Amino acid sequence: MVGVVVTAAAALAAGYLLGRLRPWQRLGDWAADQVRFTGAWVRSGAGRQAVVVLAHAVTAPRTSWRIMRAPANETLAPMPVRDPDWVANRTRTDKEGTL
């Protein structure tokens, strides 16, 4: 009888502690941040990448599946935008210098 009470109290304490610390949610948030902000983890090697991807896949399977299916975005350098009203925005020196 005493063993059952001690086991129940230990289970209750462990459940309370896990509920307060939320390790599953913290692991998921960490993995999502690592995947979202690709930085040092990409250069850290295949071992760390495998841990991050596995942690993200276990904690957020729907998000992981969507990320894996999405095509990679191309990063293009910003192109200069031409002003369509450049004639109206010219200064006096620009106007005098042109014919």
Side-chain angles (χ1 to χ4, degrees):
M1 182 69 170
V2 174
V4 173
V5 172
V6 170
T7 304
L12 184 65
Y16 176 77
L17 204 65
L18 287 174
R20 294 292 291 172
L21 296 177
R22 295 177 293 189
W24 190 258
Q25 185 176 3
R26 288 177 188 238
L27 177 66
D29 292 345
W30 173 80
D33 287 343
Q34 296 298 314
V35 170
R36 186 178 305 118
F37 304 111
T38 56
W41 78 275
V42 175
R43 295 183 297 271
S44 297
R48 183 177 167 117
Q49 289 179 16
V51 168
V52 168
V53 170
L54 180 64
H56 193 266
V58 168
T59 56
R62 292 175 64 192
T63 306
S64 298
W65 182 250
R66 187 173 61 238
I67 288 172
M68 287 187 283
R69 286 187 10 224
N73 295 335
E74 291 185 28
T75 56
L76 301 174
M79 295 177 54
V81 179
R82 295 184 185 262
D83 185 13
D85 297 326
W86 68 273
V87 174
N89 295 331
R90 290 187 300 173
T91 61
R92 179 176 294 273
T93 57
D94 292 338
K95 292 177 185 175
E96 293 173 356
T98 59
L99 294 174

Coordinates of all heavy atoms in Angstrom, one line a residue:
M1 N 0.8 -1.2 0.0 CA 0.0 0.0 0.0 C 0.9 1.3 0.0 O 0.6 2.2 -0.7 CB -0.9 0.0 1.2 CG -1.8 1.1 1.3 SD -3.1 1.0 0.0 CE -4.2 2.2 0.5
V2 N 1.9 1.3 0.8 CA 2.8 2.4 0.8 C 3.5 2.6 -0.5 O 3.7 3.7 -1.0 CB 3.8 2.2 2.0 CG1 4.9 3.4 2.0 CG2 3.2 2.2 3.3
G3 N 3.9 1.5 -1.2 CA 4.5 1.6 -2.5 C 3.6 2.2 -3.5 O 4.1 3.0 -4.4
V4 N 2.4 1.9 -3.5 CA 1.4 2.5 -4.4 C 1.3 4.0 -4.2 O 1.3 4.8 -5.1 CB 0.0 1.8 -4.3 CG1 -1.0 2.5 -5.1 CG2 0.2 0.3 -4.6
V5 N 1.2 4.4 -3.0 CA 1.1 5.8 -2.6 C 2.4 6.6 -3.1 O 2.3 7.7 -3.6 CB 0.8 6.0 -1.1 CG1 0.9 7.5 -0.7 CG2 -0.5 5.4 -0.7
V6 N 3.5 6.0 -2.8 CA 4.8 6.7 -3.2 C 4.9 6.7 -4.7 O 5.3 7.8 -5.3 CB 6.0 5.9 -2.6 CG1 7.3 6.4 -3.2 CG2 6.0 6.0 -1.1
T7 N 4.5 5.7 -5.4 CA 4.5 5.7 -6.9 C 3.6 6.7 -7.4 O 3.9 7.4 -8.4 CB 4.2 4.3 -7.4 OG1 5.1 3.3 -6.8 CG2 4.3 4.2 -8.9
A8 N 2.4 6.8 -6.9 CA 1.4 7.8 -7.3 C 1.9 9.2 -7.1 O 1.7 10.1 -7.9 CB 0.0 7.5 -6.6
A9 N 2.5 9.4 -5.9 CA 3.0 10.8 -5.6 C 4.2 11.1 -6.6 O 4.3 12.3 -7.0 CB 3.5 10.8 -4.2
A10 N 5.0 10.2 -6.9 CA 6.1 10.4 -7.8 C 5.6 10.7 -9.2 O 6.1 11.6 -9.9 CB 7.1 9.2 -7.8
A11 N 4.6 9.9 -9.6 CA 4.0 10.2 -10.9 C 3.4 11.5 -11.0 O 3.5 12.3 -12.0 CB 3.0 9.1 -11.3
L12 N 2.7 11.9 -9.9 CA 2.0 13.2 -9.9 C 3.1 14.3 -9.9 O 2.9 15.3 -10.6 CB 1.2 13.3 -8.6 CG 0.3 14.6 -8.5 CD1 -0.7 14.7 -9.6 CD2 -0.3 14.6 -7.1
A13 N 4.1 14.2 -9.2 CA 5.2 15.2 -9.2 C 5.9 15.3 -10.5 O 6.2 16.4 -11.0 CB 6.2 14.9 -8.1
A14 N 6.1 14.1 -11.1 CA 6.8 14.1 -12.4 C 5.9 14.8 -13.5 O 6.3 15.6 -14.4 CB 7.1 12.7 -12.9
G15 N 4.6 14.5 -13.4 CA 3.6 15.1 -14.4 C 3.5 16.6 -14.2 O 3.5 17.4 -15.2
Y16 N 3.5 17.0 -12.9 CA 3.5 18.5 -12.7 C 4.7 19.1 -13.2 O 4.7 20.2 -13.8 CB 3.3 18.7 -11.2 CG 3.4 20.2 -10.8 CD1 2.3 21.0 -11.0 CD2 4.6 20.7 -10.3 CE1 2.4 22.3 -10.7 CE2 4.6 22.1 -9.9 CZ 3.5 22.9 -10.1 OH 3.6 24.2 -9.8
L17 N 5.9 18.5 -12.9 CA 7.2 19.1 -13.4 C 7.2 19.2 -14.9 O 7.7 20.2 -15.5 CB 8.3 18.3 -12.8 CG 9.6 19.0 -12.7 CD1 9.5 20.1 -11.7 CD2 10.7 18.0 -12.3
L18 N 6.8 18.1 -15.6 CA 6.8 18.1 -17.0 C 5.8 19.2 -17.6 O 6.1 19.8 -18.6 CB 6.5 16.7 -17.6 CG 7.6 15.7 -17.4 CD1 7.1 14.3 -17.9 CD2 8.8 16.1 -18.2
G19 N 4.7 19.3 -16.9 CA 3.7 20.3 -17.3 C 4.3 21.8 -17.2 O 3.9 22.6 -18.0
R20 N 5.0 22.0 -16.1 CA 5.6 23.3 -15.9 C 6.8 23.6 -16.9 O 6.9 24.7 -17.4 CB 6.1 23.4 -14.5 CG 5.0 23.4 -13.4 CD 4.1 24.6 -13.5 NE 4.8 25.8 -13.1 CZ 4.4 27.0 -13.2 NH1 3.2 27.2 -13.7 NH2 5.1 28.0 -12.8
L21 N 7.6 22.6 -17.1 CA 8.8 22.8 -17.9 C 8.5 22.7 -19.4 O 9.2 23.3 -20.2 CB 9.9 21.8 -17.6 CG 10.5 21.9 -16.1 CD1 11.5 20.8 -15.9 CD2 11.1 23.3 -15.9
R22 N 7.5 22.0 -19.8 CA 7.1 21.8 -21.2 C 8.3 21.5 -22.1 O 8.6 22.2 -23.1 CB 6.3 23.0 -21.7 CG 5.0 23.2 -21.0 CD 4.4 24.4 -21.5 NE 5.2 25.5 -21.1 CZ 4.9 26.8 -21.2 NH1 3.8 27.1 -21.7 NH2 5.7 27.7 -20.8
P23 N 9.0 20.4 -21.8 CA 10.2 20.1 -22.7 C 9.8 19.8 -24.1 O 10.6 20.1 -25.0 CB 10.8 18.9 -22.0 CG 9.7 18.2 -21.3 CD 8.8 19.4 -20.8
W24 N 8.7 19.2 -24.4 CA 8.3 18.9 -25.7 C 8.1 20.1 -26.5 O 8.5 20.2 -27.7 CB 7.0 18.0 -25.7 CG 6.6 17.4 -27.0 CD1 5.7 17.9 -27.8 CD2 7.2 16.3 -27.6 NE1 5.6 17.1 -28.9 CE2 6.5 16.1 -28.8 CE3 8.2 15.4 -27.2 CZ2 6.8 15.0 -29.6 CZ3 8.5 14.3 -28.0 CH2 7.8 14.2 -29.2
Q25 N 7.4 21.1 -26.0 CA 7.2 22.4 -26.7 C 8.5 23.1 -26.9 O 8.7 23.7 -27.9 CB 6.2 23.2 -25.9 CG 5.8 24.5 -26.6 CD 4.7 25.3 -25.9 OE1 4.3 24.9 -24.8 NE2 4.3 26.3 -26.5
R26 N 9.3 23.1 -25.9 CA 10.6 23.8 -26.0 C 11.5 23.2 -27.1 O 12.1 23.9 -27.8 CB 11.4 23.8 -24.6 CG 10.7 24.7 -23.6 CD 11.5 24.6 -22.3 NE 10.8 25.3 -21.3 CZ 11.3 26.3 -20.6 NH1 12.6 26.6 -20.8 NH2 10.6 26.9 -19.6
L27 N 11.5 21.9 -27.1 CA 12.2 21.2 -28.2 C 11.7 21.5 -29.6 O 12.4 21.8 -30.5 CB 12.2 19.7 -28.0 CG 12.9 18.8 -29.0 CD1 14.4 19.1 -29.0 CD2 12.6 17.4 -28.8
G28 N 10.4 21.6 -29.7 CA 9.7 21.9 -30.9 C 10.1 23.4 -31.3 O 10.3 23.7 -32.5
D29 N 10.0 24.3 -30.4 CA 10.3 25.7 -30.7 C 11.8 25.9 -31.1 O 12.1 26.6 -32.0 CB 10.1 26.6 -29.5 CG 8.6 26.7 -29.1 OD1 7.7 26.3 -30.0 OD2 8.3 27.1 -28.0
W30 N 12.7 25.1 -30.4 CA 14.1 25.2 -30.8 C 14.3 24.7 -32.2 O 15.0 25.3 -33.0 CB 14.9 24.4 -29.7 CG 16.4 24.3 -30.1 CD1 17.3 25.3 -30.0 CD2 17.0 23.2 -30.8 NE1 18.5 24.8 -30.4 CE2 18.3 23.5 -30.9 CE3 16.6 22.0 -31.2 CZ2 19.2 22.7 -31.5 CZ3 17.5 21.1 -31.8 CH2 18.8 21.5 -32.0
A31 N 13.7 23.5 -32.5 CA 13.9 22.9 -33.8 C 13.3 23.8 -34.9 O 13.9 24.0 -36.0 CB 13.3 21.5 -33.8
A32 N 12.1 24.4 -34.6 CA 11.5 25.3 -35.6 C 12.4 26.5 -35.8 O 12.6 27.0 -37.0 CB 10.1 25.7 -35.1
D33 N 13.0 27.1 -34.8 CA 13.9 28.2 -35.0 C 15.1 27.8 -35.8 O 15.6 28.6 -36.6 CB 14.3 28.8 -33.6 CG 13.2 29.5 -32.9 OD1 12.2 29.9 -33.6 OD2 13.3 29.7 -31.7
Q34 N 15.7 26.7 -35.5 CA 16.8 26.2 -36.2 C 16.5 26.0 -37.7 O 17.3 26.3 -38.6 CB 17.4 24.9 -35.6 CG 17.9 25.1 -34.2 CD 19.1 26.0 -34.1 OE1 20.0 26.0 -34.9 NE2 19.0 26.9 -33.2
V35 N 15.4 25.5 -38.0 CA 15.0 25.2 -39.4 C 14.7 26.5 -40.1 O 15.0 26.8 -41.2 CB 13.8 24.2 -39.5 CG1 13.3 24.2 -40.9 CG2 14.3 22.9 -39.0
R36 N 13.9 27.4 -39.4 CA 13.5 28.7 -40.0 C 14.7 29.6 -40.3 O 14.8 30.2 -41.3 CB 12.5 29.4 -39.1 CG 11.9 30.6 -39.7 CD 10.9 31.3 -38.7 NE 9.8 30.3 -38.3 CZ 9.6 30.0 -37.1 NH1 10.3 30.5 -36.1 NH2 8.6 29.1 -36.7
F37 N 15.5 29.8 -39.3 CA 16.6 30.7 -39.5 C 17.9 29.9 -39.8 O 18.7 29.6 -38.9 CB 16.8 31.5 -38.2 CG 15.6 32.3 -37.8 CD1 14.9 32.0 -36.7 CD2 15.1 33.3 -38.6 CE1 13.7 32.7 -36.4 CE2 14.0 34.0 -38.3 CZ 13.3 33.7 -37.2
T38 N 18.1 29.5 -41.0 CA 19.2 28.7 -41.4 C 20.5 29.5 -41.2 O 20.7 30.5 -41.8 CB 19.1 28.2 -42.8 OG1 19.0 29.3 -43.7 CG2 17.9 27.3 -43.0
G39 N 21.3 29.1 -40.3 CA 22.5 29.8 -40.0 C 23.6 28.9 -39.7 O 24.0 28.1 -40.6
A40 N 24.1 28.9 -38.5 CA 25.2 28.1 -38.1 C 24.9 26.6 -38.2 O 25.8 25.8 -38.4 CB 25.7 28.4 -36.7
W41 N 23.7 26.2 -38.0 CA 23.4 24.7 -38.0 C 23.6 24.1 -39.4 O 23.9 22.9 -39.5 CB 21.9 24.5 -37.5 CG 20.9 24.7 -38.5 CD1 20.3 25.9 -38.8 CD2 20.3 23.8 -39.3 NE1 19.3 25.7 -39.7 CE2 19.3 24.4 -40.1 CE3 20.4 22.4 -39.5 CZ2 18.5 23.8 -41.0 CZ3 19.6 21.8 -40.5 CH2 18.7 22.5 -41.2
V42 N 23.5 24.9 -40.4 CA 23.8 24.3 -41.7 C 25.2 24.0 -41.9 O 25.6 23.0 -42.5 CB 23.3 25.3 -42.8 CG1 23.6 24.9 -44.2 CG2 21.8 25.6 -42.7
R43 N 26.1 24.9 -41.3 CA 27.5 24.7 -41.4 C 28.1 23.8 -40.4 O 29.3 23.5 -40.4 CB 28.2 26.1 -41.4 CG 27.8 27.0 -42.5 CD 28.6 28.3 -42.4 NE 28.3 29.1 -41.2 CZ 27.3 30.0 -41.2 NH1 26.5 30.2 -42.2 NH2 27.1 30.6 -40.0
S44 N 27.3 23.3 -39.5 CA 27.8 22.5 -38.3 C 28.0 21.0 -38.7 O 28.5 20.3 -37.8 CB 26.8 22.7 -37.1 OG 26.8 24.0 -36.7
G45 N 27.5 20.6 -39.8 CA 27.8 19.2 -40.2 C 26.5 18.4 -40.2 O 25.4 18.8 -39.8
A46 N 26.6 17.2 -40.8 CA 25.5 16.4 -41.0 C 24.8 15.9 -39.7 O 23.6 15.7 -39.7 CB 25.9 15.2 -41.9
G47 N 25.6 15.6 -38.7 CA 25.1 15.1 -37.4 C 24.1 16.1 -36.8 O 23.0 15.7 -36.4
R48 N 24.5 17.4 -36.7 CA 23.6 18.4 -36.1 C 22.4 18.6 -37.0 O 21.3 18.7 -36.5 CB 24.3 19.7 -35.9 CG 23.4 20.7 -35.3 CD 24.2 22.0 -35.0 NE 23.2 23.0 -34.6 CZ 23.2 23.6 -33.5 NH1 24.1 23.3 -32.6 NH2 22.3 24.6 -33.2
Q49 N 22.5 18.6 -38.3 CA 21.4 18.7 -39.2 C 20.4 17.5 -39.0 O 19.2 17.8 -39.0 CB 21.8 18.7 -40.7 CG 22.5 20.0 -41.0 CD 23.0 20.0 -42.5 OE1 22.5 19.1 -43.3 NE2 23.9 20.8 -42.8
A50 N 20.9 16.3 -38.8 CA 20.0 15.2 -38.6 C 19.3 15.3 -37.3 O 18.1 15.0 -37.2 CB 20.9 13.9 -38.6
V51 N 19.9 15.8 -36.3 CA 19.3 15.9 -35.0 C 18.2 17.0 -35.1 O 17.1 16.8 -34.6 CB 20.3 16.3 -33.9 CG1 19.6 16.8 -32.6 CG2 21.2 15.1 -33.6
V52 N 18.5 18.1 -35.7 CA 17.5 19.2 -35.8 C 16.3 18.8 -36.7 O 15.1 19.0 -36.3 CB 18.2 20.5 -36.4 CG1 17.1 21.5 -36.9 CG2 19.1 21.1 -35.5
V53 N 16.6 18.1 -37.8 CA 15.5 17.7 -38.6 C 14.6 16.6 -37.9 O 13.4 16.6 -38.0 CB 16.0 17.2 -40.0 CG1 14.9 16.5 -40.8 CG2 16.6 18.4 -40.8
L54 N 15.3 15.7 -37.3 CA 14.5 14.6 -36.5 C 13.7 15.3 -35.4 O 12.5 14.9 -35.2 CB 15.5 13.6 -36.0 CG 14.9 12.5 -35.2 CD1 14.0 11.6 -36.1 CD2 15.9 11.6 -34.6
A55 N 14.3 16.2 -34.6 CA 13.5 16.8 -33.6 C 12.3 17.6 -34.1 O 11.2 17.6 -33.6 CB 14.4 17.8 -32.8
H56 N 12.5 18.3 -35.2 CA 11.4 19.0 -35.8 C 10.4 18.1 -36.4 O 9.2 18.4 -36.2 CB 12.0 20.0 -36.9 CG 11.0 21.0 -37.4 ND1 10.1 20.8 -38.4 CD2 10.6 22.2 -36.9 CE1 9.4 21.8 -38.6 NE2 9.6 22.7 -37.7
A57 N 10.8 17.0 -37.0 CA 9.8 16.1 -37.6 C 9.0 15.4 -36.5 O 7.8 15.1 -36.6 CB 10.5 15.0 -38.4
V58 N 9.6 15.1 -35.3 CA 8.9 14.5 -34.2 C 8.0 15.4 -33.5 O 6.8 15.1 -33.1 CB 9.9 13.8 -33.2 CG1 9.3 13.4 -32.0 CG2 10.6 12.7 -33.9
T59 N 8.4 16.7 -33.3 CA 7.6 17.6 -32.5 C 6.5 18.3 -33.4 O 5.5 18.7 -32.8 CB 8.5 18.7 -31.8 OG1 9.2 19.3 -32.8 CG2 9.4 18.0 -30.8
A60 N 6.7 18.5 -34.6 CA 5.8 19.2 -35.5 C 5.7 18.5 -36.8 O 6.2 18.9 -37.8 CB 6.1 20.6 -35.7
P61 N 5.0 17.3 -36.9 CA 5.0 16.5 -38.2 C 4.3 17.2 -39.3 O 4.8 17.1 -40.4 CB 4.4 15.2 -37.8 CG 3.7 15.5 -36.5 CD 4.3 16.6 -35.8
R62 N 3.2 17.9 -39.0 CA 2.5 18.6 -40.1 C 3.3 19.7 -40.7 O 3.4 19.9 -41.9 CB 1.2 19.1 -39.6 CG 0.2 17.9 -39.3 CD -1.1 18.4 -38.7 NE -1.8 19.2 -39.7 CZ -2.8 20.0 -39.3 NH1 -3.3 20.0 -38.1 NH2 -3.5 20.7 -40.3
T63 N 3.9 20.5 -39.9 CA 4.8 21.6 -40.4 C 6.0 21.0 -41.1 O 6.4 21.6 -42.1 CB 5.2 22.5 -39.2 OG1 4.1 22.9 -38.5 CG2 6.0 23.7 -39.6
S64 N 6.6 20.0 -40.6 CA 7.8 19.4 -41.2 C 7.4 18.9 -42.6 O 8.2 19.1 -43.6 CB 8.3 18.3 -40.4 OG 8.7 18.7 -39.2
W65 N 6.3 18.3 -42.7 CA 5.8 17.7 -44.0 C 5.6 18.9 -45.0 O 6.0 18.8 -46.2 CB 4.6 16.9 -43.9 CG 4.1 16.3 -45.1 CD1 3.0 16.6 -45.8 CD2 4.7 15.2 -45.9 NE1 2.9 15.8 -46.9 CE2 4.0 15.0 -47.0 CE3 5.9 14.5 -45.7 CZ2 4.3 14.0 -47.9 CZ3 6.2 13.5 -46.6 CH2 5.5 13.3 -47.7
R66 N 5.0 20.0 -44.6 CA 4.8 21.1 -45.4 C 6.1 21.7 -45.9 O 6.3 22.1 -47.0 CB 3.9 22.1 -44.7 CG 3.5 23.3 -45.6 CD 2.5 24.2 -45.0 NE 3.0 24.8 -43.8 CZ 2.5 24.7 -42.6 NH1 1.4 24.0 -42.4 NH2 3.0 25.3 -41.5
I67 N 7.1 21.8 -44.9 CA 8.4 22.4 -45.3 C 9.1 21.5 -46.3 O 9.7 22.0 -47.2 CB 9.2 22.6 -44.0 CG1 8.6 23.8 -43.2 CG2 10.7 22.9 -44.4 CD1 9.3 23.9 -41.8
M68 N 9.0 20.2 -46.1 CA 9.7 19.3 -47.0 C 9.1 19.3 -48.4 O 9.8 19.2 -49.4 CB 9.7 17.9 -46.5 CG 10.6 17.7 -45.3 SD 10.8 16.0 -44.8 CE 9.2 15.8 -43.9
R69 N 7.8 19.5 -48.5 CA 7.2 19.5 -49.8 C 7.3 20.9 -50.5 O 7.1 20.9 -51.8 CB 5.7 19.2 -49.6 CG 5.4 17.8 -49.3 CD 4.0 17.4 -49.3 NE 3.1 18.4 -49.8 CZ 1.9 18.7 -49.2 NH1 1.6 18.2 -48.1 NH2 1.1 19.7 -49.8
A70 N 7.5 21.9 -49.8 CA 7.6 23.3 -50.4 C 8.9 23.4 -51.2 O 10.0 23.0 -50.8 CB 7.6 24.4 -49.3
P71 N 8.9 24.0 -52.4 CA 10.1 24.2 -53.1 C 11.0 25.3 -52.4 O 10.5 26.2 -51.7 CB 9.6 24.8 -54.5 CG 8.3 25.3 -54.2 CD 7.7 24.5 -53.1
A72 N 12.2 25.2 -52.6 CA 13.2 26.1 -52.0 C 13.0 27.5 -52.7 O 12.9 27.6 -53.9 CB 14.6 25.6 -52.2
N73 N 13.1 28.5 -51.9 CA 13.0 29.9 -52.5 C 14.3 30.3 -53.0 O 15.3 30.1 -52.3 CB 12.5 30.8 -51.4 CG 11.1 30.5 -50.9 OD1 10.3 29.9 -51.6 ND2 10.8 30.9 -49.7
E74 N 14.3 30.9 -54.1 CA 15.5 31.4 -54.7 C 15.8 32.8 -54.1 O 14.9 33.6 -54.0 CB 15.5 31.6 -56.2 CG 15.4 30.3 -56.9 CD 15.4 30.5 -58.4 OE1 16.0 31.5 -58.9 OE2 14.9 29.7 -59.1
T75 N 17.0 33.1 -53.7 CA 17.3 34.4 -53.1 C 18.0 35.2 -54.2 O 19.1 34.8 -54.7 CB 18.3 34.2 -51.9 OG1 19.4 33.5 -52.3 CG2 17.6 33.5 -50.8
L76 N 17.3 36.2 -54.7 CA 17.8 37.0 -55.7 C 18.3 38.4 -55.2 O 17.7 38.9 -54.2 CB 16.7 37.3 -56.8 CG 16.1 36.0 -57.4 CD1 15.0 36.4 -58.3 CD2 17.2 35.3 -58.3
A77 N 19.3 38.9 -55.8 CA 19.8 40.2 -55.4 C 18.7 41.3 -55.7 O 18.1 41.2 -56.8 CB 21.1 40.5 -56.0
P78 N 18.5 42.3 -54.9 CA 17.5 43.3 -55.2 C 17.9 44.1 -56.4 O 19.1 44.5 -56.5 CB 17.4 44.1 -53.9 CG 18.7 43.9 -53.2 CD 19.1 42.5 -53.6
M79 N 17.0 44.3 -57.3 CA 17.3 45.1 -58.5 C 16.9 46.5 -58.3 O 15.9 46.8 -57.6 CB 16.5 44.5 -59.7 CG 17.0 43.1 -60.1 SD 16.0 42.3 -61.4 CE 16.2 43.6 -62.6
P80 N 17.6 47.4 -58.9 CA 17.2 48.8 -58.7 C 15.9 49.1 -59.4 O 15.6 48.6 -60.5 CB 18.4 49.6 -59.4 CG 19.0 48.6 -60.3 CD 18.8 47.3 -59.7
V81 N 15.1 49.9 -58.8 CA 13.8 50.2 -59.4 C 13.9 51.6 -60.1 O 14.3 52.6 -59.4 CB 12.7 50.3 -58.3 CG1 11.3 50.6 -58.9 CG2 12.6 48.9 -57.6
R82 N 13.4 51.7 -61.3 CA 13.5 52.9 -62.0 C 12.3 53.8 -61.6 O 11.2 53.3 -61.5 CB 13.5 52.7 -63.5 CG 14.8 52.0 -63.9 CD 14.8 51.9 -65.4 NE 16.0 51.1 -65.8 CZ 17.1 51.6 -66.3 NH1 17.3 53.0 -66.3 NH2 18.1 50.9 -66.6
D83 N 12.5 55.1 -61.5 CA 11.4 56.0 -61.2 C 10.6 56.3 -62.4 O 11.2 56.9 -63.4 CB 12.0 57.2 -60.5 CG 11.0 58.2 -60.0 OD1 9.8 57.8 -60.0 OD2 11.3 59.3 -59.7
P84 N 9.4 56.0 -62.5 CA 8.6 56.3 -63.7 C 8.4 57.8 -63.9 O 8.1 58.3 -65.0 CB 7.3 55.6 -63.5 CG 7.2 55.3 -62.1 CD 8.6 55.3 -61.5
D85 N 8.5 58.6 -62.8 CA 8.3 60.0 -62.9 C 9.6 60.8 -62.8 O 9.7 61.8 -62.3 CB 7.4 60.5 -61.7 CG 6.0 59.9 -61.8 OD1 5.5 59.7 -62.9 OD2 5.4 59.6 -60.7
W86 N 10.6 60.2 -63.5 CA 11.9 60.8 -63.4 C 12.0 62.2 -64.0 O 12.7 63.1 -63.6 CB 13.0 59.9 -64.0 CG 12.9 59.8 -65.4 CD1 12.2 58.8 -66.1 CD2 13.6 60.5 -66.4 NE1 12.4 59.0 -67.4 CE2 13.2 60.0 -67.7 CE3 14.5 61.6 -66.4 CZ2 13.7 60.5 -68.9 CZ3 15.0 62.1 -67.6 CH2 14.6 61.6 -68.8
V87 N 11.2 62.5 -65.0 CA 11.1 63.8 -65.7 C 10.6 64.8 -64.7 O 11.1 65.9 -64.6 CB 10.3 63.7 -67.0 CG1 10.2 65.1 -67.6 CG2 10.9 62.7 -68.0
A88 N 9.5 64.5 -64.0 CA 8.9 65.4 -63.1 C 9.8 65.7 -61.9 O 9.7 66.8 -61.3 CB 7.6 64.9 -62.7
N89 N 10.6 64.7 -61.5 CA 11.5 64.8 -60.3 C 12.9 65.4 -60.6 O 13.7 65.4 -59.6 CB 11.5 63.5 -59.6 CG 10.2 63.0 -59.1 OD1 9.3 63.8 -58.8 ND2 10.0 61.7 -59.1
R90 N 13.2 65.8 -61.8 CA 14.5 66.4 -62.0 C 14.7 67.7 -61.3 O 13.8 68.4 -61.1 CB 14.7 66.6 -63.6 CG 14.8 65.3 -64.3 CD 15.1 65.6 -65.8 NE 14.1 66.4 -66.4 CZ 14.2 67.0 -67.6 NH1 15.2 66.7 -68.3 NH2 13.2 67.7 -68.1
T91 N 16.0 67.9 -61.0 CA 16.4 69.2 -60.4 C 16.7 70.2 -61.5 O 16.8 69.9 -62.7 CB 17.6 69.0 -59.5 OG1 18.7 68.6 -60.3 CG2 17.3 68.0 -58.4
R92 N 16.9 71.5 -61.1 CA 17.1 72.5 -62.1 C 18.4 72.2 -62.8 O 18.5 72.5 -64.0 CB 17.2 73.9 -61.4 CG 17.5 75.0 -62.3 CD 17.5 76.3 -61.6 NE 16.1 76.7 -61.1 CZ 15.2 77.3 -61.8 NH1 15.5 77.7 -63.1 NH2 14.0 77.6 -61.3
T93 N 19.5 71.7 -62.1 CA 20.7 71.5 -62.8 C 20.6 70.3 -63.8 O 21.2 70.4 -64.8 CB 21.8 71.1 -61.8 OG1 21.4 70.0 -61.0 CG2 22.1 72.3 -60.8
D94 N 19.7 69.4 -63.5 CA 19.5 68.3 -64.5 C 18.8 68.8 -65.7 O 19.1 68.4 -66.8 CB 18.7 67.2 -63.9 CG 19.4 66.4 -62.8 OD1 20.6 66.5 -62.8 OD2 18.7 65.8 -62.0
K95 N 17.9 69.8 -65.5 CA 17.1 70.3 -66.7 C 18.0 71.2 -67.5 O 17.9 71.2 -68.8 CB 16.0 71.1 -66.2 CG 14.9 70.3 -65.5 CD 13.8 71.2 -65.0 CE 12.8 70.4 -64.2 NZ 11.7 71.2 -63.6
E96 N 18.9 71.9 -66.9 CA 19.8 72.8 -67.7 C 20.9 72.0 -68.4 O 21.4 72.4 -69.5 CB 20.5 73.8 -66.8 CG 19.5 74.8 -66.2 CD 20.1 75.7 -65.2 OE1 21.3 75.5 -64.8 OE2 19.4 76.6 -64.7
G97 N 21.3 70.9 -67.9 CA 22.3 70.1 -68.5 C 21.9 69.3 -69.7 O 22.7 68.9 -70.5
T98 N 20.6 69.1 -69.9 CA 20.1 68.3 -71.1 C 19.6 69.2 -72.1 O 19.2 70.4 -71.9 CB 19.0 67.3 -70.6 OG1 17.9 68.1 -70.0 CG2 19.5 66.3 -69.6
L99 N 19.5 68.7 -73.3 CA 19.0 69.5 -74.4 C 17.6 69.3 -74.6 O 17.0 68.3 -74.6 CB 19.8 69.3 -75.7 CG 21.2 69.7 -75.7 CD1 21.9 69.3 -76.9 CD2 21.3 71.2 -75.5

